[in-house]
Amino acid sequence: MPVCLEASRFVTRHAAIVGSTGAGKTSCVASLLQGFARGGWDAANIVVIDPHGEYAEALSGHASIRSVLDSGDRGIRVPYWALPALDILHAFAGTHGGGTAQSRFRELVTQERRAFATEADWLALDSASVTADTPIPFDLRKVWHQLDAENNEVRQVKTDPATAVAESEGDPQTLTPKKFAPYGPASAPPFKSPIHGTYGAVPELLRLGLLDPRRSFLQEPVGDPQGEDPLIDEVANWLGRERPVSILDFSGVPDEASELAIGVILTLIFETAVRTPAGGTGIGRSRPVLIVLEEAHRYLGPAAAHMASNAANRIAREGRKYGVGLVLVTQRPSELPDTALAQAGTLIALRLSNSADQAKIRAALPDSVSGLATVLPALRTGEAIVTGEAISLPARALVDAPTPFPNAHDPSLESWRQPGSPPNVAAAIASWRGIYNMEET
């Protein structure tokens, strides 16, 4: 018998789709997305957080597809200045540094944000109210240049900053550090400044992060004081503009950078929905948003970046009231917090082979049907137990196969039957180093 889900309850009251690797979890998600994209829901707002680049093939022609490794209209841009100061430091330097480095970094970021707020025509904001965490554009390269200069400063008179001995001023935009004369041996001038070396390796790590092409998506747009608010366009891009589905592909970038960027996207989408006026043309209760979070355990588990974790948990707890739905997709439900899983009104459980994962799902099922959990390890590929608010009665069902399939199906071994030859790994290594779009030779 055909089994259908009630779309409104599936979207607005959250859902969880779980299953071991190879159980058909990604195909299930793709089938649901294709149903929305092709079923007359032209003004849907479905945002897919895709850490592995799996869904573009299945939704081609129906979705806005953006990748952190692309530029222009196909690129994802998540401006670093939308992050709190210490998260910016973590995203680019991979560390928060020591207390002194943190404190000085926050001071410099506050100065730069306030300077932009004073100059910007489109910001009606008192610069005195701006903090290190206010999402206002600023130039991170200027902050790095000042931080690096203070960390390496050499002076003729140790207590007088005016006697600094600089051989070249450097250039923040090209990430060229200010160069100082070598300090003298023993007690001979020139001397190290009192804070010489206090910031440790933080300035250099920050410079290397700014040079890393895998983090370039965090450096746009820069913001123009005489232009327009760049966040308006970027949020519209994340939502897919005129397409019903938006796929945000974060494959190929460091985890700490992608998790922070995802945290920013989730936070800004939720805050936009909260603040959209009733009956307005934006997003929220008048036009709900559904966020599909692949590898949800990465963003909700104990080791998750706090910004991504806080944003996802807040949507799980409060999203229904503001028209923001959440679909948690994971192969490790045991790593999801109880609070997040408890908020999922609909549960689609495919084959699970791990006993801890089975126990988690068994606890999430209603008492009257908890016996269904005994079949979880024996389900066929694409077969699922479906229960919750979007279905009238709990059912064991075979999920419709998506057409076309996402790029998550098992690879073929046909290539093993070809004549033997050494694998060509040049393009893969070039991409690893940050050289993209290289033609294979």
Side-chain angles (χ1 to χ4, degrees):
M1 295 178 61
V3 175
C4 298
L5 298 179
E6 185 180 339
S8 62
R9 290 180 179 269
F10 180 81
V11 170
T12 61
R13 299 198 177 182
H14 309 318
I17 301 175
V18 303
S20 300
T21 300
K25 180 176 72 275
T26 304
S27 294
C28 176
V29 176
S31 180
L32 289 167
L33 295 178
Q34 289 173 356
F36 280 109
R38 300 168 183 171
W41 307 83
D42 295 339
N45 277 323
I46 302 174
V47 180
V48 183
I49 304 298
D50 185 4
H52 301 306
E54 296 175 318
Y55 291 99
E57 191 172 333
L59 276 300
S60 179
H62 298 281
S64 164
I65 301 167
R66 297 175 184 274
S67 169
V68 290
L69 301 183
D70 287 332
S71 56
D73 291 340
R74 289 182 57 85
I76 299 175
R77 303 191 302 177
V78 185
Y80 62 78
W81 45 262
L83 289 162
L86 293 186
D87 285 333
I88 296 171
L89 192 59
H90 182 65
F92 285 94
T95 176
H96 283 165
T100 305
Q102 285 184 28
S103 177
R104 184 55 178 156
F105 182 80
R106 287 179 59 85
E107 288 176 7
L108 294 172
V109 169
T110 302
Q111 291 174 17
E112 290 297 320
R113 290 197 197 269
R114 288 178 175 175
F116 188 95
T118 301
E119 190 180 353
D121 297 334
W122 48 270
L123 270 175
L125 190 64
D126 180 6
S127 62
S129 67
V130 174
T131 70
D133 299 336
T134 306
I136 291 175
F138 75 96
D139 190 345
L140 181 58
R141 296 183 179 222
K142 286 184 180 179
V143 172
W144 160 77
H145 192 260
Q146 180 66 24
L147 201 68
D148 182 77
E150 292 176 4
N151 201 46
N152 294 290
E153 190 173 78
V154 172
R155 303 172 180 175
Q156 287 290 357
V157 179
K158 191 170 186 176
T159 56
D160 186 1
T163 63
V165 186
E167 295 182 344
S168 66
E169 291 299 316
D171 183 359
Q173 299 312 312
T174 61
L175 295 171
T176 304
K178 191 173 183 178
K179 188 176 180 182
F180 293 92
Y183 53 85
S187 299
F191 305 100
K192 295 180 182 179
S193 75
I195 59 172
H196 187 287
T198 302
Y199 308 143
V202 170
E204 180 60 13
L205 290 172
L206 184 56
R207 185 182 76 87
L208 293 174
L210 286 165
L211 287 170
D212 187 349
R214 298 174 302 169
R215 290 176 169 85
S216 61
F217 74 98
L218 287 169
Q219 300 183 48
E220 296 180 294
V222 294
D224 181 357
Q226 277 70 52
E228 297 179 349
D229 188 346
L231 272 184
I232 294 174
D233 258 359
E234 293 313 314
V235 173
N237 287 338
W238 301 339
L239 291 168
R241 293 194 175 272
E242 73 281 357
R243 296 293 180 92
V245 180
S246 173
I247 297 173
L248 304 181
D249 179 357
F250 283 91
S251 60
V253 296
D255 286 347
E256 65 271 15
S258 66
E259 288 175 9
L260 283 168
I262 289 166
V264 173
I265 289 173
L266 296 182
T267 299
L268 289 178
I269 288 176
F270 183 71
E271 294 292 348
T272 302
V274 169
R275 288 166 173 75
T276 297
T281 57
I283 59 173
R285 293 187 64 86
S286 59
R287 188 177 175 184
V289 178
L290 178 63
I291 296 172
V292 180
L293 195 59
E294 262 283 358
E295 300 288 345
H297 57 277
R298 281 178 49 181
Y299 312 110
L300 290 166
H306 79 273
M307 181 164 245
S309 176
N310 289 348
N313 273 300
R314 188 181 178 197
I315 292 171
R317 292 192 308 268
E318 307 172 31
R320 183 189 63 81
K321 295 181 288 186
Y322 300 107
V324 182
L326 184 66
V327 177
L328 304 175
V329 185
T330 180
Q331 68 264 34
R332 293 309 311 272
S334 60
E335 295 182 14
L336 292 178
D338 291 337
T339 303
L341 194 58
Q343 300 302 321
T346 302
L347 176 63
I348 301 177
L350 295 100
R351 184 176 62 249
L352 286 168
S353 53
N354 183 276
S355 58
D357 294 331
Q358 294 170 26
K360 188 84 167 186
I361 297 305
R362 186 179 297 110
L365 290 172
D367 292 340
S368 58
V369 295
S370 58
L372 280 174
T374 58
V375 303
L376 284 173
L379 292 174
R380 294 170 291 169
T381 298
E383 192 177 18
I385 294 171
V386 187
T387 184
E389 299 193 33
I391 190 169
S392 300
L393 293 171
R396 178 176 175 177
L398 193 61
V399 179
D400 290 341
T403 306
F405 275 88
N407 188 25
H409 49 275
D410 293 338
S412 167
L413 293 184
E414 189 58 35
S415 59
W416 284 17
R417 295 184 178 276
Q418 305 301 317
S421 62
N424 185 352
V425 298
I429 291 175
S431 176
W432 191 6
R433 289 171 175 155
I435 306 170
Y436 307 116
N437 302 320
M438 173 182 173
E439 295 291 339
E440 288 200 27
T441 57

